Amino acid sequence: MKVLVVGGGGREHALCWTIAASPLCHKLFCAPGNAGIAEEAVCVPIAADDIEGLLAFVQKEAIDYVVVGPEGPLVLGLVDRLAEIGVKSFGPSAAAAQLEGSKGFTKDLCAKYGIPTAAYARFTDVATAKAYVKAEGAPIVVKADGLAAGKGVTVAMTEAEALAAIDEALAGGAFGAAGAELVIEAFLEGEEASFFALVDGETALPLATAQDHKRVYDGDQGPNTGGMGAYSPAPVMTQTLIDDTMDRIVRPTVAAMKAEGMPFKGVLYAGLMITKDGPELIEYNVRFGDPECQVILMRLMSDLLPALIASTDGVLSSFDLRWYPEAALTVVLAAKGYPGSYEKDSVIRGLDLAPGNSDDVQVFHAGTKAGPDGEILANGGRVLNVTAMAPTIRQAQELAYTAVDRIDWPQGFCRRDIGWRAIARR
Ligand code: AMP
Ligand code: GLY
């Protein structure tokens, strides 16, 4: 098959690395890709949300299968448009991608089908939103309805913060159209966890568990990021909790989406709060987590490509995924300043040395490009994902940081404590 992966981050590097190894794949492309992905795939300079550009390329190259990494093109309907020209792809339709594209859509679905989530209401008007906050009191959570690059959520510990968040989104237009509607919901207390399942419209197959670290600094301090590291398995997701999440949240959602005439296919990524009453849904994403994907795929023993195609074809019920029992851990190297402003184009050296003698270390590129003389340049906020697999999380952590320390990139930084929660739990 000729396969196209859409996206250009660490998640897509891990997808390309995995798919390139599949005997089913005879030619692999990635749009737009990055300097690391170029080792696995032919990179084509088409942006991930350039739907027309992608469709033209797929037709010109007679691509057989498209794997969509990020949510943007899914919400824009890339999977639907590909189906119209007879090309199969991995991911949900635009209708099903509303699970990530509209928080109000997801909350209404949960309410209608009895899926546990925080009590909420939807607003487009400042006065009614403020009256709701005053009636409910703080703490309370104010969320932009649409895609806001992870910045649309205010967990307000005081009423004043919540009122300010309403003004910013509805009156100030802080999130543009994504914030023209708000979901305001009850504050949930507990430990956060993530859960991933492969879904084919009807059947949901749990993936290996994984957990990321969202805060930028050690000890889970500082502002939120897309994720500064991740590990798998995630000890917080016990088998009981996995079963509970499947029974109370994932399977009911898959059935609800089918009943609503918009069956969900792709990766369903549930952000959960483990409350004293069990898991509650915080939000859905309709794609692999980044960097969680990197550690999940490191541990995947089965061929990924047939599993993705089974999701598209609706035949996952006859599928079984096998995993290496080892733990995987990834450390994100980011440009100094991230998640605020940062410089691009600094030179990264020592990448060839990073794995040492270990086959169990992979350096996935998240934001790099090749310079004029073939040198590797930083080209984003999150730049590298140094990923290692070992018998325990602690050993995977050691192996990953040993590799990190061989990379010569003075303009970068990383957290030194990825995996601490999992290690502390043991
Ligand atoms: P989201 O973008 O929906 O994942 O929200 C970002 C973060 O806000 C989550 O990872 C949680 O830490 C926090 N959060 C969102 N909703 C709630 C809630 N109802 N209660 C407590 N914390 C929340
Ligand atoms: N690592 C969080 C995300 O992919 O949304």
Side-chain angles (χ1 to χ4, degrees):
M1 295 178 96
K2 273 177 142 177
V3 179
L4 170 67
V5 171
V6 175
R11 167 182 51 209
E12 288 76 23
H13 191 180
L15 283 165
C16 285
W17 173 73
T18 308
I19 291 169
S22 170
L24 280 182
C25 177
H26 92 258
K27 181 119 202 216
L28 183 61
F29 297 90
C30 187
N34 63 38
I37 291 174
E39 309 262 304
E40 309 287 349
V42 177
C43 293
V44 287
I46 306 170
D49 55 6
D50 176 3
I51 306 295
E52 302 306 329
L54 292 168
L55 288 166
F57 177 78
V58 162
Q59 285 184 302
K60 184 181 88 165
E61 276 295 336
I63 299 290
D64 299 299
Y65 192 65
V66 179
V67 178
V68 188
E71 64 278 13
L74 295 169
V75 170
L76 290 173
L78 179 57
V79 166
D80 311 71
R81 295 290 302 280
L82 286 166
E84 280 167 23
I85 59 168
V87 177
K88 284 189 192 183
S89 59
F90 177 75
S93 65
Q98 289 181 90
L99 283 175
E100 178 163 357
S102 167
K103 297 199 191 284
F105 169 89
T106 299
K107 298 297 283 191
D108 288 352
L109 190 87
C110 288
K112 183 170 172 187
Y113 291 91
I115 296 160
T117 187
Y120 75 104
R122 303 175 71 168
F123 301 95
T124 52
D125 162 75
V126 174
T128 16
K130 288 188 171 177
Y132 183 80
V133 164
K134 285 178 184 151
E136 296 292 319
I140 194 161
V141 184
V142 179
K143 300 184 170 184
D145 181 75
L147 294 183
K151 297 191 176 78
V153 175
T154 303
V155 179
M157 299 316 284
T158 64
E159 214 174 278
E161 278 174 80
L163 299 178
I166 291 169
D167 278 329
E168 272 169 40
L170 289 183
F175 309 110
E181 178 168 353
L182 297 178
V183 167
I184 303 185
E185 66 179 37
F187 175 78
L188 296 172
E189 246 171 303
E191 182 171 0
E192 276 186 66
S194 305
F195 186 77
F196 302 87
L198 197 57
V199 181
D200 71 352
E202 199 157 346
T203 299
L205 197 61
L207 297 174
T209 59
Q211 191 66 40
D212 71 344
H213 291 264
K214 288 236 160 49
R215 303 296 185 128
V216 70
Y217 303 128
D218 283 24
D220 294 323
Q221 302 294 312
N224 261 318
T225 70
M228 292 300 292
Y231 50 91
S232 173
V236 60
M237 285 307 290
T238 59
Q239 191 58 48
T240 315
L241 201 47
I242 292 173
D243 295 343
D244 248 24
T245 303
M246 285 298 287
D247 291 345
R248 299 174 59 191
I249 298 179
V250 173
R251 282 196 201 95
T253 300
V254 172
M257 292 299 282
K258 189 178 174 211
E260 295 289 322
M262 41 185 121
F264 182 89
K265 297 181 175 189
V267 171
L268 188 60
Y269 161 175
L272 305 172
M273 189 68 85
I274 313 307
T275 72
K276 61 177 178 13
D277 304 323
E280 299 212 20
L281 182 72
I282 298 177
E283 62 156 6
Y284 274 129
N285 297 302
V286 298
R287 47 163 178 88
F288 279 107
D290 184 351
E292 295 94 320
C293 181
Q294 289 79 313
V295 287
I296 288 175
L297 292 186
M298 200 79 177
R299 294 188 54 219
L300 181 64
M301 190 188 291
S302 310
D303 189 353
L304 177 68
L305 189 52
L308 301 182
I309 296 169
S311 152
T312 305
D313 290 345
V315 295
L316 268 184
S317 60
S318 58
F319 241 80
D320 188 25
L321 290 172
R322 309 206 48 201
W323 305 94
Y324 291 109
E326 282 87 352
L329 184 141
T330 190
V331 177
V332 172
L333 268 69
K336 283 180 183 163
Y338 175 82
S341 59
Y342 51 82
E343 310 233 309
K344 288 188 178 179
D345 295 337
S346 53
V347 181
I348 304 165
R349 297 189 176 86
L351 283 170
D352 294 346
L353 307 174
N357 295 322
S358 177
D359 291 335
D360 288 329
V361 174
Q362 293 294 330
V363 181
F364 296 119
H365 291 216
T368 62
K369 65 178 185 198
D373 302 315
E375 69 276 38
I376 302 292
L377 304 178
N379 190 37
R382 293 190 293 175
V383 173
L384 298 168
N385 308 145
V386 180
T387 312
M389 188 159 78
T392 65
I393 299 239
R394 183 185 280 285
Q395 287 165 301
Q397 187 194 49
E398 266 178 39
L399 193 58
Y401 281 113
T402 303
V404 164
D405 290 337
R406 292 195 186 104
I407 295 174
D408 174 12
W409 182 37
Q411 293 83 359
F413 76 100
C414 66
R415 280 181 60 160
R416 300 297 313 190
D417 66 344
I418 298 304
W420 73 270
R421 267 179 211 284
I423 291 167
R425 197 178 274 269
R426 301 231 148 186

